[in-house]
Amino acid sequence: MTEQPLSLVVLVSGSGSNLQAIIEAIDAGLPARIEVVISNRPQALALTRAASRNIPTRVIDHRECTSRDEFDARLDSLLSELDPQLVVLAGFMRILGDPLVRRWHGRMLNIHPSLLPDYRGLQTHRRVLEAGEQWHGCSVHYVTAELDGGPVIARARLEVHGNDDEASLKSRVHDCEHVLYPTVIDWIARGRLTLADDTPMLDNKPLRQALTFEAPQLMEAAS
């Protein structure tokens, strides 16, 4: 375990349910500290969640930027000022440009609602249902310049039920996200997880393939 809590900056765009899960995990012993929550949307509920816990917030409204490059430059400047050990994307709905991502290589995580490398991009729950897939889930990965293409650390897999619709499937995947994301952050905070030459290293062993947890066992372990 590190001597000091891992310093986090969390990027958000929406309701902040993953942010809330991370806050609650910290309350339960995850050795990390959220320094600032940053959003591209001034009205994001996630900002209210952060403020209710006295976590500082900042807004970089993408609508006030003349280009993606300007937004990225402003975000990079703020991140450089804060200098967190880890940048956590938690429902952050902006595609970040190559220069910014490369500068934060190995220090930026994302969670994606699919079993990567399948179903990158948006509308994953709908696409999984339309394709008649048996399995769905979520993945935590390091962020690289390739959209949803960075090294995958861990996945949570659940079976698609015959009566699932988009809303029910999304809800079940969210439940998995709220356990899997804090778990991976905890590994980093305790010095168990690093990135070496684009290969995740867990307990000094290379993860040639992402760790895949079955959702029922993952949820049971967290209860």
Side-chain angles (χ1 to χ4, degrees):
M1 177 175 174
T2 56
E3 293 183 1
Q4 297 295 327
L6 184 75
S7 63
L8 309 178
V9 165
V10 183
L11 307 185
V12 297
S13 294
S15 68
S17 65
N18 272 305
L19 169 65
Q20 186 66 40
I22 295 167
I23 291 172
E24 292 174 2
I26 291 172
D27 289 344
L30 192 165
R33 179 181 63 250
I34 301 174
E35 306 290 352
V36 178
V37 171
I38 302 173
S39 180
N40 64 307
R41 294 177 176 169
Q43 304 305 319
L45 176 59
L47 296 174
T48 302
R49 291 184 191 266
S52 71
R53 296 299 299 268
N54 297 315
I55 300 171
T57 62
R58 299 286 291 273
V59 174
I60 303 175
D61 192 336
H62 64 276
R63 297 169 300 182
E64 297 178 355
C65 298
T66 58
S67 66
R68 287 184 179 273
D69 287 347
E70 180 186 346
F71 177 87
D72 281 3
R74 291 177 60 183
L75 177 58
D76 189 37
S77 176
L78 180 53
L79 291 176
S80 297
E81 174 188 331
L82 297 168
D83 195 28
Q85 293 169 287
L86 188 67
V87 179
V88 178
L89 279 61
F92 186 63
M93 303 304 292
R94 295 286 298 178
I95 296 175
L96 299 175
D98 292 7
L100 186 153
V101 170
R102 293 184 192 281
R103 276 192 290 276
W104 292 90
H105 181 74
R107 296 169 62 187
M108 186 176 282
L109 283 188
N110 185 43
I111 189 161
H112 181 72
S114 80
L115 296 173
L116 291 175
D118 296 336
Y119 296 100
R120 300 179 186 181
L122 302 175
Q123 307 296 336
T124 60
H125 314 299
R126 181 183 305 172
R127 291 157 59 200
V128 162
L129 289 170
E130 289 175 347
E133 298 282 6
Q134 180 182 1
W135 301 101
H136 190 32
C138 58
S139 307
V140 178
H141 66 96
Y142 283 103
V143 178
T144 64
E146 182 182 2
L147 178 64
D148 300 327
V152 181
I153 303 158
R155 311 187 306 173
R157 189 176 81 150
L158 56 82
E159 189 168 7
V160 179
H161 296 160
N163 61 350
D164 268 323
D165 58 16
E166 190 174 349
S168 66
L169 194 55
K170 178 179 180 180
S171 176
R172 293 171 60 217
V173 170
H174 272 177
D175 289 343
C176 291
E177 291 179 14
H178 299 160
V179 177
L180 187 66
Y181 215 2
T183 296
V184 173
I185 294 169
D186 187 85
W187 293 344
I188 295 174
R190 297 180 188 277
R192 297 182 59 198
L193 177 67
T194 59
L195 185 67
D197 297 326
D198 283 334
T199 299
M201 303 286 293
L202 183 62
D203 297 331
N204 296 315
K205 298 178 181 179
L207 292 179
R208 303 299 182 189
Q209 293 182 328
L211 296 175
T212 299
F213 299 93
E214 301 298 332
Q217 287 73 31
L218 181 70
M219 304 308 294
E220 182 179 351
S223 62

